[in-house]
Amino acid sequence: MKKIAILGSTGSIGTQTLAVVREQKDIKVTAVAAGSNTVLLEEQIREFKPKLAAVWEEEKAKDLRVRTADLDVKIVSGMEGLLEAAAEQEAEMVVTAVVGMLGIRPTVAAILAGKQIALANKETLVTAGHIIMPLAKENNVRILPVDSEHSAIFQSLQGEDENEIHKIILTASGGPFRGKTKEELAHISPADALKHPNWSMGRKITVDSSTLVNKGLEVIEAKWLFDVRPEQIQVTVHPQSVIHSAVEWKDGAVIAQLGTPDMRLPIQYALYYPKRRTLSGKRLNFTELGTLTFEDADTDTFRGLDLAYEALRRGGNAPAVFNAANEKAVAMFLDEKISFLTIPKIIEECMEESVFLENPDIEQILWTKDTVDQYIESRW
Ligand code: NDP
Ligand code: MG
């Protein structure tokens, strides 16, 4: 029986990972970690019986200890608890499904403990890819992508070890505001931005999809996962989200992975790689689909994508600045403190004003985040 730990078990990816575990019946969950949703976490503990569960706040952990006193589970808290869950002894694999740069330290801890990584938490690779990828190699750890586009690319690469990637075609749905003008976007509310046409996801990534920042983060994520240059990654808007991404080879062949939009497929592929398993749910039917369409991204209206390419070209801590500014700006937008169009403005200004560090270590990346947070708080 395969043993896994899930960081962010109560979120969108976390619960879908548990849905796969529930359906397949031959994976044991040894550790789970969540932020504050102890109601769902308790249900998960009762159903999946992990040995260890981490909750962010000690107050909540205390309460959960009382509620789970009848079970054989250790409840831990804080960053220390999250790190303990990431390195839980029995787990062979860690699913990283927390949001944001919070994922950096537990991902490092899991790699150092020799765990295979099923990576959903893209912000960790975006900001610390230059540390994570070599560290994984040194520790014989495979980083298996969970992000649907990167899983599609990874699936398209199977059996191609002898060949060098010519180009990556990263597809984007275009989000809920595709085709809208800047004027139309001026009064977008959080509720508008939280409606994604094809995918049901956590709040932060749903907003990122509506600004195209998510695609920008995915460009940087692809650079680290597949060792390509920025100019080898082409973003194409494909509103139906059926072609999940593709690889072009030097002879012009394009290999893609297609499917209905369902995150359980990339999650399951990462959990069982290189084996495929049966998965319940809707199958693709070409004649029902009829037409698939493609267009270029509107990078004038949605500035986030170009800013991500710029951060990638600059390197060093520039992607960390890009990402940290976005995390903070999205949180402020969701709190109705700034407007939708202020999100890219904040990112751009932070990229202009931040101190550049050529080869930041983990401490300097986290320092970059704190500095960006303080700057934004003082300005907006
Ligand atoms: P959600 O917001 O749905 O879930 C986030 C999870 O992290 C929750 O379990 C949350 O717990 C937990 N969490 C929050 N704070 C802490 C903390 N301090 N310590 C421990 N756990 C914490 O996010 P998603 O599942 O949508 O996204 C997770 C990651 O996967 C992101 O990096 C995202 O970009 C990436 N991703 C997501 C996709 C999707 O379809 N959702 C697709 C591709 C990538 P609680 O519920 O208690 O707050
Ligand atoms: Mg994606």
Side-chain angles (χ1 to χ4, degrees):
M1 216 179 209
K2 186 165 198 154
K3 294 177 178 156
I4 67 167
I6 308 174
L7 311 182
S9 64
T10 52
S12 165
I13 294 291
T15 51
Q16 292 181 89
T17 304
L18 288 171
V20 171
V21 170
R22 191 181 288 123
E23 183 170 335
Q24 295 296 336
K25 299 188 174 71
D26 61 352
I27 290 180
K28 167 91 188 119
V29 179
T30 61
V32 287
S36 58
N37 187 352
T38 48
V39 173
L40 180 55
L41 192 64
E42 181 184 346
E43 282 173 28
Q44 295 180 342
I45 295 170
R46 293 195 179 276
E47 180 178 358
F48 296 97
K49 312 215 160 30
K51 294 189 154 165
L52 185 71
V55 186
W56 191 247
E57 283 171 37
E58 174 53 26
E59 270 310 295
K60 291 228 161 196
K62 246 187 218 156
D63 174 53
L64 191 61
R65 266 176 220 127
V66 175
R67 275 155 45 199
T68 56
D70 59 318
L71 302 171
D72 183 19
V73 59
K74 180 179 168 197
I75 312 281
V76 291
S77 67
M79 179 52 83
E80 229 169 89
L82 187 56
L83 295 176
E84 195 175 333
E88 193 283 323
Q89 217 180 342
E90 284 190 31
E92 298 147 53
M93 177 182 265
V94 176
V95 180
T96 64
V98 293
V99 186
M101 293 169 77
L102 171 75
I104 297 176
R105 293 186 57 199
T107 306
V108 169
I111 294 172
L112 289 175
K115 316 293 186 195
Q116 304 302 303
I117 306 288
L119 185 131
N121 177 233
K122 64 187 88 185
E123 295 91 343
T124 285
L125 265 196
V126 167
T127 58
H130 63 291
I131 296 165
I132 299 290
M133 294 313 288
L135 193 68
K137 202 167 175 197
E138 256 169 55
N139 287 277
N140 256 325
V141 162
R142 214 197 286 267
I143 310 271
L144 294 145
V146 166
D147 211 348
S148 59
E149 295 78 359
H150 304 76
S151 175
I153 295 161
F154 183 59
Q155 292 178 56
S156 303
L157 291 176
Q158 299 305 309
E160 298 279 2
D161 288 356
E162 307 281 313
N163 298 308
E164 218 174 276
I165 296 173
H166 179 65
K167 193 166 104 185
I168 281 176
I169 302 161
L170 197 66
T171 54
S173 72
F177 309 134
R178 185 175 59 90
K180 291 219 187 299
T181 61
K182 269 200 181 145
E183 294 68 49
E184 289 171 311
L185 294 178
H187 302 291
I188 290 296
S189 70
D192 298 327
L194 288 173
K195 283 180 217 136
H196 194 279
N198 304 336
W199 301 93
S200 154
M201 310 178 285
R203 285 155 63 87
K204 191 251 177 190
I205 186 176
T206 305
V207 175
D208 287 351
S209 301
S210 76
T211 56
L212 284 198
V213 166
N214 181 52
K215 213 43 58 178
L217 295 172
E218 291 183 356
V219 167
I220 306 176
E221 184 185 11
K223 182 244 147 44
W224 291 115
L225 284 171
F226 307 115
D227 193 19
V228 287
R229 295 182 308 278
E231 57 276 17
Q232 286 177 288
I233 309 169
Q234 181 196 345
V235 172
T236 299
V237 173
H238 164 45
Q240 298 82 15
S241 299
V242 167
I243 299 184
H244 295 310
S245 280
V247 177
E248 183 184 313
W249 301 97
K250 65 171 140 199
D251 57 3
V254 175
I255 310 277
Q257 184 252 330
L258 287 68
T260 52
D262 182 345
M263 283 309 296
R264 291 176 311 147
L265 191 150
I267 292 169
Q268 181 169 295
Y269 190 75
L271 292 178
Y272 287 99
Y273 175 80
K275 280 239 157 75
R276 288 189 187 271
R277 289 286 188 100
T278 304
L279 180 65
S280 62
K282 206 169 174 319
R283 297 289 163 127
L284 208 56
N285 180 322
F286 280 12
T287 48
E288 239 174 55
L289 276 174
T291 321
L292 296 180
T293 61
F294 305 91
E295 62 199 49
D296 283 332
D298 175 0
T299 51
D300 288 335
T301 308
F302 301 95
R303 300 263 307 117
L305 184 55
D306 278 355
L307 290 170
Y309 272 103
E310 177 58 28
L312 182 53
R313 278 187 214 102
R314 284 190 204 171
N317 68 339
V321 171
F322 170 85
N323 178 77
N326 178 61
E327 282 187 26
K328 183 77 183 168
V330 169
M332 288 171 79
F333 168 69
L334 287 170
D335 283 347
E336 299 187 40
K337 288 190 180 133
I338 60 163
S339 74
F340 184 74
L341 290 175
T342 308
I343 299 172
K345 263 193 212 141
I346 288 181
I347 300 174
E348 190 160 22
E349 187 171 320
C350 287
M351 284 174 66
E352 276 162 17
E353 299 297 326
S354 290
V355 178
F356 182 71
L357 302 172
E358 179 89 50
N359 187 20
D361 59 21
I362 298 285
E363 289 312 315
Q364 289 169 319
I365 292 165
L366 296 173
W367 172 84
T368 298
K369 176 171 166 49
D370 290 343
T371 316
V372 165
D373 283 353
Q374 283 161 17
Y375 178 77
I376 296 173
E377 273 162 27
S378 71
R379 282 276 287 116
W380 278 278

